Each structure stands twice: as C-alpha cells, then as structure tokens.
Amino acid sequence: KAGVTQTPRYLIKTRGQQVTLSCSPISGHRSVSWYQQTPGQGLQFLFEYFSETQRNKGNFPGRFSGRQFSNSRSEMNVSTLELGDSALYLCASSLSSGGYEKLFFGSGTQLSVL
Amino acid sequence: GIQVEQSPPDLILQEGANSTLRCNFSDSVNNLQWFHQNPWGQLINLFYIPSGTKQNGRLSATTVATERYSLLYISSSQTTDSGVYFCAVGNAGNMLTFGGGTRLMVKP
C-alpha cells in the first residue's frame, strides 16, 4: 500500500506570490491533516479535513487555506507569501477524524520564500 | 492550549546502550502518539498510546494518563535510531500538539 504522497518535494517562491501544495492520503484514509515545521516554532497544526469538510483549524492567518476533494486528496494554499512562511509542510492521513488511530505522515514539501 | 515538554532535549548514546525519553503534558488527552523523524525529515509513527503500555521490537512506550506523562524506551540502540523523537498529544480529533523533541545521536 502506497504511503502519503506530497508534491512537490521542493518549492522556491518570492514574497507576495501564492503557492499550492498537494497531498494524496493512504488509500482508504479519509482524514487529511496539515502541519508546518520550522526550526523556531517546531511542528504546528494547520488544519484537518474529513469528508471534504474542515474539522479543526490551527492558529494561522487566513492566508493559509485548504480543501479536500471527494477522493480524499487535499491541497493547501498560501497566498501573499512572507519570508516567515519558509518551512517544511507536512501532510498526514488517518482512517477517521476521531483521533483514535495512528497518524501517517508524508515526506513533506520544503518551501523556501525569497 | 495543551503544553508538551520533552526531556532530555539532546541525547548521545553509544551503540548498544538503552535510553528513556520522557513526555509531560499539561492537560488530559485522549490522543498521544510518538514519532521518529529521520535525518531526511520523514516522520515515522512509532506508537499510538493514549494510555497503557505497548512494545514493538526494541521500542516500548508507557503512558500514565492520570499523571500526564509518557515514556519511550529504546533498548540496544543502533545508529539507525538517530534522529529526533517527538511526542504529540491532543483531545480534538487529529489536531495534535507536538513537543519540542528529543534529538538522539547513536555513535558506532
């Protein structure tokens, strides 16, 4: 069974641009969560989607948004990029959204904002 | 929000040694997981353990939910165990709060 797939692996953008990251969960998993990892703030929760509905949202500005499609694939979008948005963005999937089983992470998208 | 503290922050071991990593959290949780982030950045799920004890090969974990802590034991460490170990907790679905991690280096 294939794991969580994130594309692209690396991205370089300039301030003010927008970016879209993609995540395909493990087959059969319906919950997709997004996390941001930076050296200063560590791993922080962005949002979670289940059955195309946002279930939980972390403490990030509205420039960060996401969506989930009917096949459970998810995208997150960051608009008006700032230097501080440079980070590793990690996607995770699980069977349900109840928090009763393991979370499986993809390899991440490393975003650099210049 | 929930606070998560991991100790020690850094750990250097000789191959074959045993170690115990600790995770303290500030509030009751119904979701607790341990992860290993390898040097390439991949987060690997080690345990889902909101309470009780589990073992998987050389690794085992114990969570005492009433006292708000969890322990990860690594026995007979190998160089491939190097990386950062994270504890993550939550009480709202898959919204997890991560600790700062324990950076482990195993020397041959």
Side-chain angles (χ1 to χ4, degrees):
Chain A
K1 195 183 252 190
V4 179
T5 304
Q6 290 188 245
T7 57
R9 184 72 179 92
Y10 300 95
L11 262 180
I12 299 176
K13 293 286 187 179
T14 56
R15 276 183 303 173
Q17 287 186 311
Q18 74 166 18
V19 67
T20 299
L21 312 181
S22 180
C23 172
S24 293
I26 292 172
S27 178
H29 284 194
R30 296 171 62 195
S31 167
V32 173
S33 305
W34 289 89
Y35 287 80
Q36 180 196 65
Q37 186 175 25
T38 60
Q41 299 298 316
L43 278 150
Q44 294 183 286
F45 173 81
L46 281 157
F47 27 65
E48 179 194 5
Y49 287 88
F50 180 79
S51 293
E52 302 178 66
T53 301
Q54 188 178 87
R55 290 301 181 97
N56 290 297
K57 188 177 191 305
N59 189 25
F60 279 82
R63 300 185 296 107
F64 292 81
S65 63
R67 60 178 174 167
Q68 186 181 34
F69 302 96
S70 58
N71 61 359
S72 295
R73 191 179 70 85
S74 177
E75 290 180 347
M76 68 163 281
N77 184 275
V78 188
S79 63
T80 318
L81 284 166
E82 301 177 358
L83 295 178
D85 297 333
S86 294
L88 179 65
Y89 289 89
L90 292 159
C91 167
S93 78
S94 68
L95 282 169
S96 71
S97 67
Y100 302 123
E101 65 262 324
K102 283 185 172 183
L103 213 54
F104 295 91
F105 280 85
S107 299
T109 294
Q110 183 68 54
L111 172 65
S112 297
V113 182
L114 307 178
Chain B
I2 301 174
Q3 305 299 313
V4 184
E5 290 187 8
Q6 291 186 241
S7 59
D10 296 280
L11 188 57
I12 301 174
L13 297 175
Q14 209 63 38
E15 201 168 27
N18 302 328
S19 62
T20 301
L21 282 57
R22 188 177 179 101
C23 171
N24 293 331
F25 43 96
S26 62
D27 204 349
S28 59
V29 298
N30 55 26
N31 189 346
L32 189 149
Q33 308 195 32
W34 282 95
F35 297 90
H36 174 220
Q37 189 167 39
N38 64 26
W40 297 271
Q42 177 72 49
L43 268 171
I44 306 298
N45 194 303
L46 300 175
F47 294 102
Y48 170 81
I49 186 165
S51 64
T53 297
K54 290 187 177 180
Q55 180 156 6
N56 183 4
R58 296 181 296 103
L59 302 180
S60 64
T62 294
T63 297
V64 183
T66 53
E67 297 188 21
R68 299 179 186 169
Y69 73 89
S70 183
L71 302 174
L72 177 69
Y73 305 96
I74 304 174
S75 64
S76 304
S77 57
Q78 301 175 358
T79 56
T80 52
D81 294 332
S82 296
V84 184
Y85 289 81
F86 290 103
C87 167
V89 306
N91 50 29
N94 290 320
M95 183 170 68
L96 297 178
T97 299
F98 279 74
T102 291
R103 186 175 300 276
L104 173 64
M105 180 185 296
V106 181
K107 294 186 172 182

